[in-house]
Amino acid sequence: MATTLISGGTVVSAIGRREADVLIDGESIAAILAPGHAAAYGITPDSVIDATGKYVVPGGVDAHVHMSLPFGGTVSADDFDTGSRAAAWGGVTTIVDFASQTVGLDVRDVLAARHEEAAGECHVDYAFHQIIGDVNDESLKAMTDLVENEGVTSFKMFMAYPGVFYSDDGQILRAMQNTSESGGLMMMHAENGIAIDVLVAQSLARGDSDPKYHSYTRPEELESEATHRAIKLARVAGNVPLYIVHMSASEALEEVSRAQHMGLNVFAETCPQYLYLSIEDHLAQPGFEGAKWVCSTPLRSKHEHHQKDLWKGLRMNELAVVSTDHCPFCMKDQKELGLGDFSKIPNGMGGVEHRMELIYQGVVMGEMTLERWVETCCTTPARMFGLDKKGVLEPGADADVLVWDPNARTKIGVDDKHHMAMDHSSYEGFEVDGKVDTVLSRGRVMVQNDEYLGAKGHGKFVKRTLSKYLH
Ligand code: URP
Ligand code: ZN
Ligand code: ZN
């Protein structure tokens, strides 16, 4: 098997940094060596990657993406091929997508179909969560089977989107009880969808139909209320581990923080869009432009401390993970479905390529440490979702590596760095410090010298174990 030495860099983990060389043997990390010591051990690697002046970190793990998601009358624009390739360009070597069960569908069937869709298409390794949108005796049985036999150990449910993915409290409770017994983890889209639909109808009746009303009809109270309710339901269901997805608002974060102080098994993620984008600067842009930034939970006002609080939450571990909720839609033919009616704009934005870049900028801005960047973007998502060989650089782990150049810069935009299948960039014009230098997925060089060297089909399905936070 071929050996590679990544030499001269600073290896950064969730707990510290040190000058070290990384020896890769085939698809795995073989050793972390004191700088320059490979020769002393008689090691002559087949190839050397010079990481002098650079950081060497685990490949990113994006635990929340939606490739080819049928949603809002269309299908998200990146498929497993284009989306996982964009992930590699962004230093992300594992993605976790979703199989979706809606009313009337069989859980095992939709998971099998999702496997077929992804097989042979992915550039980087991938895993699945299971969306549960129809709780019944059969789907509950299947949930246990997925945890025990299929390597699908987490479920996503929705308190939002009535008529699409929505579940009521009784259904959620039953699914949580089942998950509590099987040892799985429950992810929750926490927004009160029933109340939101009333506000949406009222807004449209008033003639308030521009994209910005997407956020005004999803006030933070309806995110925090749902977060609170999910926490209580999880407690009733035997303190099942609960993971709140795409958290956008201060009040909801307070609910999570309070639950954690009470000793409950409650975790949460946020996404780059909630740390950088706002109603004023993005969603409320004139005309239909704001449609680019319609996503749920929605962007919030920049004047209400949400961004500051979310950064604080990341520092304090109230927010354990940064994911992207990558769910891109083009303006043409997709976002345009909502011209004149914001409620018909497909919800979602793309970002799988930019998470490592945008969160590293948080390090530069002093919002978090370098180690915390690695922890929230690589190590914790791997531990949270039972990806046992991902998220760390240690002997035996998969050789998923990102060499990061802190002295270069990255310009994001459709005519700059942009490899997602979108006709616009959610972060157009952003220029950030640092740059993806080299990316390896299980020992294979995917990106080097601004050139793409990966290939469709390299990415393999990863069976996940139970969350390492509780098992
Ligand atoms: O707007 C979003 N977040 N679209 C993707 C589906 C979801 O709720 O995660
Ligand atoms: Zn969601
Ligand atoms: Zn999502």
Side-chain angles (χ1 to χ4, degrees):
M1 276 209 267
T3 52
T4 302
L5 189 72
I6 304 176
S7 72
T10 302
V11 174
V12 185
S13 75
I15 57 164
R17 62 188 93 171
R18 62 188 158 128
E19 308 307 304
D21 296 344
V22 177
L23 181 66
I24 294 169
D25 188 1
E27 298 198 339
S28 306
I29 307 279
I32 308 293
L33 301 164
H37 274 55
Y41 295 117
I43 297 164
T44 330
D46 298 311
S47 61
V48 175
I49 294 171
D50 181 9
T52 305
K54 296 173 185 149
Y55 297 131
V56 182
V57 305
V61 177
D62 192 340
H64 185 161
V65 303
H66 303 277
M67 309 305 174
S68 300
L69 175 71
F71 196 45
T74 182
V75 177
S76 61
D78 265 317
D79 58 21
F80 282 103
D81 173 10
T82 63
S84 65
R85 186 174 185 273
W89 270 112
V92 170
T93 49
T94 310
I95 53 172
V96 192
D97 204 296
F98 297 79
S100 306
Q101 182 229 18
T102 50
V103 173
L105 297 183
D106 181 272
V107 170
R108 289 185 189 87
D109 287 351
V110 298
L111 177 60
R114 202 64 172 150
H115 270 296
E116 250 181 57
E117 225 180 320
E121 294 294 310
C122 287
H123 293 243
V124 297
D125 288 351
Y126 62 99
F128 295 131
H129 310 287
Q130 177 68 50
I131 287 174
I132 299 294
D134 189 1
V135 176
N136 54 51
D137 290 347
E138 266 313 298
S139 52
L140 291 171
K141 240 187 273 161
M143 287 171 72
T144 307
D145 178 42
L146 263 50
V147 172
E148 290 178 353
N149 302 311
E150 299 297 331
V152 175
T153 54
S154 46
F155 303 95
K156 183 178 178 191
M157 298 193 77
F158 293 78
M159 302 167 111
Y161 309 139
V164 186
F165 290 127
Y166 174 83
S167 294
D168 68 26
D169 291 353
Q171 292 163 331
I172 290 170
L173 182 63
R174 287 188 76 197
M176 283 180 167
Q177 286 169 330
N178 179 279
T179 306
S180 178
E181 272 170 34
S182 68
L185 180 140
M186 182 59 76
M187 306 163 80
M188 190 60 68
H189 181 132
E191 286 187 294
N192 185 327
I194 300 290
I196 286 167
D197 274 6
V198 171
L199 297 182
V200 168
Q202 291 170 345
S203 180
L204 292 172
R206 279 195 306 272
D208 293 338
S209 59
D210 286 349
K212 67 182 174 195
Y213 293 102
H214 175 74
S215 183
Y216 297 146
T217 55
R218 306 179 94 90
E220 72 160 320
E221 288 79 0
L222 297 184
E223 183 180 349
S224 55
E225 182 277 329
T227 303
H228 179 86
R229 193 156 31 99
I231 290 167
K232 294 296 177 193
L233 291 169
R235 188 174 187 181
V236 171
N239 202 10
V240 64
L242 173 68
Y243 177 98
I244 308 289
V245 294
H246 47 53
M247 181 157 285
S248 73
S250 304
E251 266 189 30
L253 179 62
E254 280 168 29
E255 295 290 346
V256 166
S257 169
R258 193 172 307 122
Q260 289 168 341
H261 283 292
M262 288 168 66
L264 303 180
N265 299 325
V266 176
F267 308 95
E269 68 174 19
T270 191
C271 312
Q273 53 267 37
Y274 307 116
L275 297 164
Y276 286 101
L277 309 178
S278 66
I279 298 177
E280 292 81 3
D281 294 340
H282 302 90
L283 191 60
Q285 284 193 10
F288 192 62
E289 200 60 13
K292 291 175 181 170
W293 296 282
V294 165
C295 61
S296 296
T297 54
L299 300 188
R300 303 292 178 191
S301 170
K302 67 177 179 183
H303 301 303
E304 290 173 353
H305 303 280
H306 301 293
Q307 294 183 358
K308 187 172 135 292
D309 289 343
L310 293 174
W311 281 116
K312 183 268 298 179
L314 283 170
R315 278 194 301 278
M316 301 299 288
N317 207 28
E318 294 158 340
L319 293 163
V321 170
V322 181
S323 302
T324 57
D325 191 12
H326 177 79
C327 190
F329 295 102
C330 291
M331 282 295 264
K332 189 165 164 21
D333 297 337
Q334 296 200 299
K335 293 285 186 181
E336 278 175 359
L337 293 169
L339 267 168
D341 178 351
F342 69 87
S343 71
K344 295 198 164 56
I345 300 169
N347 285 204
M349 67 173 75
V352 71
E353 182 178 352
H354 301 307
R355 184 185 59 136
M356 300 305 288
E357 293 152 2
L358 291 165
I359 304 307
Y360 179 78
Q361 190 62 18
V363 177
V364 175
M365 296 184 318
E367 295 288 0
M368 65 164 71
T369 63
L370 200 54
E371 287 78 5
R372 190 71 184 142
W373 173 56
V374 171
E375 190 168 23
T376 55
C377 293
C378 315
T379 310
T380 297
R383 287 189 67 207
M384 183 70 68
F385 294 107
L387 291 156
D388 296 344
K389 291 190 164 186
K390 307 294 187 186
V392 287
L393 296 181
E394 61 185 32
D398 282 347
D400 293 353
V401 186
L402 165 59
V403 180
W404 181 261
D405 185 351
N407 298 309
R409 286 173 70 74
T410 304
K411 236 175 137 182
I412 300 172
V414 282
D415 294 326
D416 294 299
K417 184 170 186 280
H418 180 86
H419 300 90
M420 300 170 286
M422 299 166 70
D423 60 5
H424 64 279
S425 169
S426 310
Y427 300 95
E428 184 68 42
F430 273 56
E431 195 171 344
V432 292
D433 294 286
K435 182 176 187 292
V436 171
D437 180 271
T438 303
V439 180
L440 293 93
S441 163
R442 274 183 287 103
R444 175 184 178 139
V445 177
M446 308 289 286
V447 176
Q448 198 169 38
N449 300 324
D450 295 318
E451 201 186 329
Y452 193 72
L453 303 169
K456 173 168 134 166
H458 169 78
K460 288 191 184 142
F461 174 69
V462 184
K463 271 189 159 188
R464 294 182 293 116
T465 59
L466 300 182
S467 173
K468 288 299 152 302
Y469 276 86
L470 295 165
H471 298 277

